[in-house]
Amino acid sequence: MTLLTVERIKLFSTRSPWWCMILATALTVGLTSVFAATTKSRDLNDLTPSVTQFAYNFGLVVMMVMATLAVTTEYRFSTIRSTFLAVPRRTPALLAKVTVVGLVAGIVGEITAVGSWAVAKAIKPDAPLAIDTAQEYRNVFGVGLIYLLSAVLAVAVGLIVRQSAGAIVIELVYLLLLENLLPSIPTIGDNIQHWLPFTVGNNFIVAGQPETSDGPAVITGMPFGPWGSLVYFAAVCVGLFVVAGFLAKRRDA
């Protein structure tokens, strides 16, 4: 509990996490409010709970940046040395850090998801925005889990790279470019796409959603169902964190 308190204090002792949380919420909820406000009356039936989450990736990217900075700034200012001197085994300190950062990201993810749905319902009360099915519950309340696990992955990348700019660039290039470009490779592109971690993680949210929806993109032919996709995504994120923790213990701070 002491380590968790220490990591919480370290995280919120700088302004960047606060700005990241505000920006993630403002981007996601703001874009959804604009979308809902500009939806015409004849298109109200298309405004569903899944559609209210179309912008969740914007907030996800911001929270991954926050998670990365939570690690790399410690290496930049050498405060990580004090942490490892206080906790020579290092693993408990790293687990405390990833727990705090992951929980913060997960909470922000839930706030952005529920906020996006709530603001759309407030703007267009006649739209079919009731949450009734398991898919609709996952589409809204499952976003926080994806944020949490993505923060774990971002912390792992930060531990491996140890430089803010390099780690953030790697994450952005992979998330925004590679996962969109790799499926275009002839012959094997579709098979690769079905195993890309963020694509599989997204399937947890969108599985069962109509393919014609304006919500998060639906990829057909995925190897797992929604909960299997979540387990696969969690395994990738946790596995990378285990590798990062091993490297952090082997290398000098």
Side-chain angles (χ1 to χ4, degrees):
M1 187 60 69
T2 301
L3 287 175
L4 292 174
T5 303
V6 169
E7 292 300 331
R8 175 180 57 80
I9 293 172
K10 285 197 294 185
L11 180 65
F12 291 112
S13 62
T14 60
R15 295 179 181 178
S16 58
W18 295 102
W19 281 113
C20 286
M21 290 187 290
I22 293 170
L23 182 60
T25 305
L27 270 176
T28 309
V29 178
L31 287 172
T32 303
S33 64
V34 171
F35 183 88
T38 55
T39 300
K40 297 180 180 180
S41 299
R42 65 174 180 271
D43 298 324
L44 276 185
N45 287 334
D46 296 330
L47 187 58
T48 61
S50 63
V51 173
T52 65
Q53 306 305 313
F54 81 97
Y56 88 92
N57 269 327
F58 292 98
L60 178 66
V61 169
V62 175
M63 294 312 295
M64 287 182 67
V65 170
M66 184 209 74
T68 303
L69 291 175
V71 177
T72 56
T73 52
E74 285 214 62
Y75 279 102
R76 178 185 177 187
F77 296 106
S78 299
T79 55
I80 196 73
R81 294 178 182 175
S82 301
T83 299
F84 289 161
L85 285 173
V87 188
R89 292 177 57 196
R90 299 190 179 186
T91 298
L94 296 176
L95 289 175
K97 180 178 290 294
V98 78
T99 298
V100 171
V101 173
L103 287 176
V104 169
I107 291 170
V108 172
E110 287 299 313
I111 291 173
T112 60
V114 175
S116 296
W117 170 80
V119 74
K121 191 169 180 62
I123 294 172
K124 298 292 184 181
D126 296 329
L129 289 169
I131 300 177
D132 299 317
T133 66
Q135 189 277 326
E136 290 168 341
Y137 274 100
R138 276 188 288 104
N139 216 161
V140 176
F141 297 102
V143 170
L145 291 174
I146 300 300
Y147 272 56
L148 187 155
L149 293 171
S150 298
V152 173
L153 185 145
V155 168
V157 174
L159 286 170
I160 294 171
V161 179
R162 303 201 292 185
Q163 293 182 346
S164 300
I168 291 172
V169 167
I170 289 171
E171 292 167 6
L172 294 182
V173 167
Y174 177 79
L175 179 59
L176 301 179
L177 291 179
L178 286 182
E179 285 225 356
N180 294 318
L181 293 177
L182 288 176
S184 64
I185 298 175
T187 308
I188 63 173
D190 289 339
N191 293 329
I192 292 175
Q193 184 182 35
H194 292 159
W195 296 96
L196 297 176
F198 285 97
T199 300
V200 177
N202 183 70
N203 188 59
F204 166 68
I205 293 176
V206 304
Q209 174 183 301
E211 294 181 36
T212 56
S213 172
D214 291 325
V218 178
I219 306 296
T220 59
M222 296 298 291
F224 305 111
W227 292 103
S229 296
L230 181 66
V231 170
Y232 176 86
F233 184 56
V236 172
C237 296
V238 173
L240 187 61
F241 177 75
V242 170
V243 172
F246 174 78
L247 293 176
K249 292 179 68 174
R250 299 278 294 183
R251 297 188 294 188
D252 293 334

